[in-house]
Amino acid sequence: MSLSAARSSDTSSRRRRPAEQTQDLPWEHDSQVGHDHEQIRDQLCGDPQPNSTGTPSSHQSICPALCTTKCMPEHACPNHHACDDSWEEIQSKRTIRAENEVEANKLVNNYRFGFRKWKSHVTERPFEVRSEVVKELYSELNVIKPHAGHLITCGNVAYVLLFGWWVSLAYILIGLLMFITITGVPYGKLCWKLSCYFLWPFGKSIHEVQRCCEQAPDCECNVDGTEDNSPVLLPSPTEVPIPELPGRPLRTPYWHRFSTYAWLLLGYPLLVVIHSLACFLSWILVFTIPVFKMNSRTLGVILLLAPEDVSPQVYESRALLCCYHAANWYYYKYTLDGINVFAVNLLPLVIVALVIGYIDRENQYASSNVKFAIAICSIIPLSYYIGMGIASISAQSNFAVGAVVNATFGSITELTFYITALLRGHQAANPCLQEVVKAALTGTLLGCILFIPGICMIIGGLRHSEQRFNSRSTGVSSALLFISVGGVFAPTLFSKAYGNLVCDACTNSTRVNGTNGSQFVCHNCHYDLNNGTLFHDHVEPLVYTVCTLLPAAYIIGLIFTLKTHSHIYDIHVGDGQVMGHHGAVVHWSRWRSLLILIMATVLTSACADLVTEHIQPILNQPNISQYFIGVTVLAMVPEIPEIVNGIQFALQNNISLSLEVGSCIAVQVCMLQIPILVFFNAFYDVGFVLLFSDIHLWASIFSVILVNYIFMDGKSDYFQGTALVVVYLILLALYYFAPSPPGC
């Protein structure tokens, strides 16, 4: 089959793809492109395939259509090298499909160097074009399904053990209470029926009776139900015949009954507590959100109806509640106004951290360790909100505005913590916090170079065997990574080349071999940089020079990838796939995104202040090195949203973006965060000196060399990812057993 035929076949197959698949999986095109590329490469450079006559066909019959586009004339294609060059050209081409122009702009930005990679949608997608799996997540549990599958599942059984038994018991007890009041007997009967429902609600339904009034003679329902002793609950798929019921006198209005007030004063408040507790627990567990919907709908709708209005055997009745499964694995992608449910659940941690941190100053209700843990965890949702704000503004702006917003707010979480720690260390004359900041900077660098690409390669390789990425675009990030690491550690190498070794703690000890000689035992040896000559005349000017050149290199890299050489990525939006900007409903406008960015930044500053205030007891642990705390907890906790995004990209066979996630953060650490800290120290001296210890120096240099070696061939699999993760764990072990830095 010729290449043109393969392309036409691929185009037609993509057009036949259902709409919901392309809408709910915005990165599915990358998986399809990678699959098509592998087929084309097999045709171009694989073993000759036999034709219809049984004789192998030559490469001349397969290659010219591609080889003539770049590397050689039509009459020759002698070896694999020419096809490999053309394969690189095909590999770098990507077609983006998007619902609207805003999403298309965000997806394009995700491929550009300098932009943080955020997967979440910034626009509201039409519900009718969503897949059935996604529609199920947002259903209101009021649709009866004739075939709901197996009802005895692990999630449903877990519901009975976690929720069903005590909610059912509460209804039984409240039903007894309503029987005691005499006037609340109808509600007592309702509670007993609902107790059976909530013990096992799956496959059953609750209906509302739609009664006709005398003022509507044209109503289709011309009869009113008499007292019905049939059960409230019936299996959903069963059809019940509608009996001919005689009419009866008009009933007493709802607010003119004593039973209504007895119910609202005695029974309903107790059920509010029960259902609210069930709602809270099921929402926190995320995967049991259907239980939350069931309880909230019962509390807000069913329990506020008259008891005779809840019946299944009346003409024109409508379903109020019907649930089939208590748990759904896909609720990890559930969103509220574009915000992931996990970020919503973690947001109260910010309030808890601020309240116990600034009110309980004497640690009467919580220890410093607890406050530190809550404050550091509260940074995770704030980082997510900052990232969503950046993605929203970038998607609604041009490349220049997106680059500025990414460079300004992309590192705001880390910078807030670093500056707060330096200020607190300077005020308390504690040099240990400066070393912790340097360890956190190095830990972020190592995690983004080794751990994020490694874990993404492992997870993506286990699902897709082998993944390919654009080695040329990755080479741009690798080159900038070399420049940034070399520039950051240049002053350290310079000081070691020209500094004088000085030992602070030297003691005279007598030899134990019986002689009268003695020897000096020295500790805390370091290079003397405070002699007024080497540091102020040589090292300090070098630091300022490097910190001026690094942001300039970052800007040049942005211009290279966004303007002059944007064809490296060769990205365009697929024809006929964009609805237009007028059809896009943006979750967050630019002004709202900016307001959220500012609020999240202020809250991050407060949480970072609490972290640095309560970090000292953690640093005083005798069995844990301060280096280890800096390179793990303080460095990687703010990067958890990026790690999650990188893993999602890898699962969708988009390893290019997974690798760019780590490279982008590492480059921003070296080319933006560190220069900002240096210039901040120049205006307000907090004692921050851009000189790293040997362990930081050699670990970073070795990591950069290793990751560039891994990226050379443009392929990734789980073995290469395992190698990166193992090296990262070895470095963590090295930091764990390292002695504490000087001054700690």
Side-chain angles (χ1 to χ4, degrees):
M1 182 175 62
S2 63
L3 180 62
S4 60
R7 288 179 175 174
S8 62
S9 175
D10 173 65
T11 303
S12 62
S13 64
R14 290 186 182 181
R15 290 177 180 174
R16 290 194 299 268
R17 183 177 300 179
E20 62 267 20
Q21 294 182 11
T22 58
Q23 296 294 334
D24 286 316
L25 299 177
W27 297 104
E28 186 179 347
H29 64 277
D30 294 306
S31 176
Q32 182 67 30
V33 169
H35 179 68
D36 296 341
H37 289 170
E38 291 179 0
Q39 291 181 344
I40 295 173
R41 182 176 176 85
D42 291 340
Q43 295 177 9
L44 292 176
C45 303
D47 295 333
Q49 300 294 328
N51 54 22
S52 60
T53 62
T55 59
S57 59
S58 63
H59 286 293
Q60 283 86 347
S61 62
I62 303 175
C63 285
L66 179 65
C67 292
T68 55
T69 62
K70 181 177 180 181
C71 56
M72 55 187 311
E74 287 188 12
H75 63 274
C77 184
N79 52 41
H80 295 279
H81 297 290
C83 297
D84 286 338
D85 293 339
S86 298
W87 161 249
E88 288 294 331
E89 184 178 11
I90 286 183
Q91 184 192 22
S92 64
K93 295 182 179 180
R94 299 186 184 275
T95 300
I96 288 182
R97 296 181 177 88
E99 301 93 320
N100 50 69
E101 293 180 358
V102 178
E103 289 297 332
N105 193 23
K106 186 187 74 69
L107 296 181
V108 170
N109 289 345
N110 272 338
Y111 282 91
R112 305 295 185 177
F113 166 77
F115 290 86
R116 293 270 182 148
K117 318 305 180 195
W118 293 94
K119 174 182 178 294
S120 300
H121 272 66
V122 297
T123 59
E124 181 179 352
R125 288 178 287 177
F127 187 77
E128 59 273 8
V129 301
R130 309 292 289 273
S131 67
E132 293 301 324
V133 174
V134 176
K135 289 180 180 179
E136 180 68 22
L137 301 182
Y138 297 94
S139 64
E140 294 297 331
L141 302 184
N142 58 356
V143 178
I144 299 178
K145 301 178 182 179
H147 301 287
H150 297 287
L151 298 179
I152 302 178
T153 62
C154 295
N156 292 352
V157 174
Y159 163 83
V160 177
L161 299 177
L162 296 177
F163 300 97
W165 69 271
W166 57 271
V167 174
S168 177
L169 180 61
Y171 268 99
I172 293 176
L173 297 178
I174 294 174
L176 291 175
L177 176 63
M178 298 310 298
F179 274 105
I180 293 175
T181 61
I182 306 299
T183 59
V185 169
Y187 286 99
K189 294 179 179 179
L190 178 63
C191 288
W192 282 12
K193 295 176 182 179
L194 290 179
S195 67
C196 299
Y197 177 82
F198 280 101
L199 183 62
W200 184 264
F202 312 110
K204 304 175 183 178
S205 59
I206 301 177
H207 295 258
E208 177 189 9
V209 178
Q210 295 182 350
R211 300 181 181 274
C212 295
C213 58
E214 294 180 348
Q215 289 78 10
D218 296 332
C219 181
E220 295 181 358
C221 180
N222 54 9
V223 294
D224 199 358
T226 58
E227 292 186 5
D228 189 10
N229 295 324
S230 60
V232 177
L233 313 171
L234 286 177
S236 299
T238 305
E239 294 184 0
V240 181
I242 303 174
E244 295 292 338
L245 299 175
R248 70 169 188 174
L250 293 176
R251 59 177 180 170
T252 305
Y254 181 75
W255 293 105
H256 293 173
R257 310 176 189 178
F258 289 107
S259 61
T260 299
Y261 296 96
W263 169 251
L264 294 178
L265 292 176
L266 297 178
Y268 185 75
L270 297 176
L271 289 176
V272 168
V273 177
I274 297 298
H275 283 293
S276 298
L277 179 60
C279 287
F280 174 77
L281 295 177
S282 57
W283 181 268
I284 291 297
L285 295 176
V286 175
F287 302 105
T288 57
I289 287 181
V291 179
F292 166 83
K293 293 180 179 180
M294 183 172 57
N295 283 271
S296 62
R297 191 168 183 83
T298 301
L299 191 61
V301 178
I302 296 176
L303 296 182
L304 295 178
L305 293 174
E308 66 271 14
D309 285 345
V310 182
S311 176
Q313 289 186 335
V314 179
Y315 183 63
E316 288 292 328
S317 64
R318 67 185 182 94
L320 290 177
L321 182 62
C322 48
C323 182
Y324 299 95
H325 298 285
N328 190 337
W329 167 255
Y330 292 99
Y331 269 103
Y332 71 88
K333 59 173 65 176
Y334 190 79
T335 60
L336 294 175
D337 196 21
I339 304 299
N340 186 270
V341 61
F342 288 100
V344 175
N345 288 349
L346 289 176
L347 194 59
L349 278 180
V350 180
I351 301 176
V352 174
L354 297 178
V355 170
I356 67 174
Y358 289 106
I359 294 180
D360 183 23
R361 290 288 187 178
E362 303 298 329
N363 295 338
Q364 296 180 355
Y365 303 100
S367 62
S368 293
N369 295 337
V370 174
K371 293 180 180 178
F372 173 81
I374 296 177
I376 197 70
C377 291
S378 65
I379 295 179
I380 298 175
L382 294 176
S383 300
Y384 179 88
Y385 279 84
I386 290 174
M388 281 296 298
I390 293 173
S392 299
I393 295 177
S394 299
Q396 302 174 70
S397 309
N398 54 30
F399 289 153
V401 175
V404 171
V405 171
N406 273 268
T408 304
F409 289 96
S411 302
I412 197 68
T413 303
E414 296 87 348
L415 284 174
T416 301
F417 168 74
Y418 298 150
I419 293 177
T420 304
L422 292 174
L423 288 173
R424 186 172 293 276
H426 176 67
Q427 295 171 358
N430 184 7
C432 187
L433 289 179
Q434 182 186 146
E435 295 298 327
V436 171
V437 169
K438 293 179 182 179
L441 287 167
T442 308
T444 304
L445 193 62
L446 297 178
C448 295
I449 294 175
L450 298 175
F451 181 74
I452 294 181
I455 197 67
C456 293
M457 285 182 175
I458 293 175
I459 296 178
L462 291 176
R463 182 169 183 176
H464 302 285
S465 181
E466 183 179 88
Q467 296 177 294
R468 300 175 183 271
F469 54 89
N470 189 347
S471 57
R472 188 177 181 188
S473 61
T474 307
V476 176
S477 301
S478 299
L480 284 172
L481 197 58
F482 261 119
I483 296 172
S484 58
V485 172
V488 165
F489 289 100
T492 303
L493 292 172
F494 184 85
S495 65
K496 293 185 180 302
Y498 295 99
N500 297 321
L501 187 64
V502 176
C503 296
D504 293 335
C506 294
T507 58
N508 188 359
S509 62
T510 304
R511 293 181 182 269
V512 296
N513 55 6
T515 62
N516 294 328
S518 61
Q519 66 176 358
F520 284 95
V521 178
C522 298
H523 302 279
N524 296 333
C525 297
H526 61 279
Y527 289 95
D528 182 20
L529 301 177
N530 298 319
N531 53 14
T533 303
L534 178 65
F535 179 75
H536 295 289
D537 296 344
H538 301 279
V539 176
E540 194 172 30
L542 176 61
V543 169
Y544 292 136
T545 302
V546 167
C547 291
T548 303
L549 293 175
L550 289 179
Y554 182 79
I555 295 174
I556 294 173
L558 290 179
I559 297 174
F560 180 85
T561 55
L562 300 182
K563 290 294 183 182
T564 61
H565 287 68
S566 59
H567 62 275
I568 293 178
Y569 301 88
D570 195 10
I571 301 170
H572 64 282
V573 178
D575 297 333
Q577 299 291 336
V578 180
M579 297 188 306
H581 188 75
H582 62 278
V585 179
V586 183
H587 287 297
W588 295 359
S589 64
R590 278 176 286 192
W591 286 109
R592 182 183 177 186
S593 301
L594 182 61
L595 179 62
I596 291 176
L597 280 177
I598 295 174
M599 293 177 59
T601 302
V602 174
L603 293 176
T604 302
S605 302
C607 293
D609 180 67
L610 292 175
V611 170
T612 56
E613 179 181 355
H614 298 284
I615 196 177
Q616 197 59 46
I618 307 296
L619 298 177
N620 292 336
Q621 296 292 330
N623 299 325
I624 302 178
S625 173
Q626 287 83 351
Y627 285 137
F628 182 78
I629 297 173
V631 299
T632 54
V633 178
L634 302 181
M636 297 308 295
V637 167
E639 310 302 336
I640 288 179
E642 284 90 343
I643 297 174
V644 174
N645 287 333
I647 292 174
Q648 290 178 339
F649 295 144
L651 287 174
Q652 295 157 2
N653 202 19
N654 195 350
I655 195 64
S656 296
L657 279 185
S658 298
L659 302 182
E660 286 291 335
V661 168
S663 298
C664 176
I665 301 172
V667 170
Q668 285 193 0
V669 168
C670 295
M671 292 191 166
L672 292 179
Q673 295 179 19
I674 290 178
I676 289 175
L677 293 177
V678 170
F679 288 119
F680 174 80
N681 184 81
F683 287 100
Y684 186 83
D685 189 6
V686 292
F688 180 76
V689 180
L690 193 62
L691 296 175
F692 294 85
S693 61
D694 291 349
I695 188 173
H696 299 326
L697 172 66
W698 302 118
S700 301
I701 293 177
F702 174 75
S703 301
V704 172
I705 295 174
L706 174 64
V707 77
N708 278 274
Y709 175 77
I710 295 291
F711 290 169
M712 285 177 59
D713 58 353
K715 305 175 185 178
S716 70
D717 49 50
Y718 72 90
F719 175 75
Q720 292 178 333
T722 303
L724 294 178
V725 173
V726 168
V727 171
Y728 178 73
L729 295 178
I730 291 174
L731 293 177
L732 290 188
L734 187 148
Y735 278 106
Y736 182 82
F737 294 106
S740 299
C744 294

